[in-house]
Amino acid sequence: MPRVIFTNQLARFLDAPAASAPGATLAEVFGNVFAAHPQLRSYILDDQGAVRQHVAVFIDGVQVTDRKKLSDSVMPESEIYVFQALSGG
């Protein structure tokens, strides 16, 4: 089952435990994780269901390409990392 790991920065704002959840796409995995931890959804996704601008998501070390529909494929042994992206100068 894919595993979703949230970086420690999230712990400053909310409870963000690593979680395993079924799914063949990022949308399916996130849907299952957010069903168990609904407080994470609004921090990771915007009101349209897209990954927020200042959040980076990687599947097996590769940044996701579909930030709107979350259609990137996920394998049963995948590791999904969710980071708070840094910005500024």
Side-chain angles (χ1 to χ4, degrees):
M1 196 174 318
R3 184 160 172 81
V4 181
I5 299 110
F6 300 94
T7 59
N8 291 337
Q9 301 110 315
L10 289 174
R12 293 185 305 178
F13 304 106
L14 51 105
D15 186 27
S20 294
T25 66
L26 184 60
E28 292 174 1
V29 173
F30 272 178
N32 288 315
V33 169
F34 298 153
H37 304 282
Q39 75 280 6
L40 293 171
R41 187 184 193 289
S42 64
Y43 188 85
I44 306 302
L45 304 180
D46 64 19
D47 58 348
Q48 302 298 312
V51 175
R52 288 191 177 277
Q53 180 180 359
H54 295 291
V55 173
V57 180
F58 290 81
I59 301 171
D60 298 325
V62 178
Q63 192 164 12
V64 298
T65 57
D66 183 2
R67 294 177 59 88
K68 291 184 180 184
K69 295 183 182 177
L70 312 177
S71 65
D72 293 69
S73 296
V74 176
M75 302 302 293
E77 66 280 354
S78 287
E79 289 188 333
I80 302 164
Y81 283 88
V82 180
F83 296 89
Q84 182 180 15
L86 299 177
S87 63

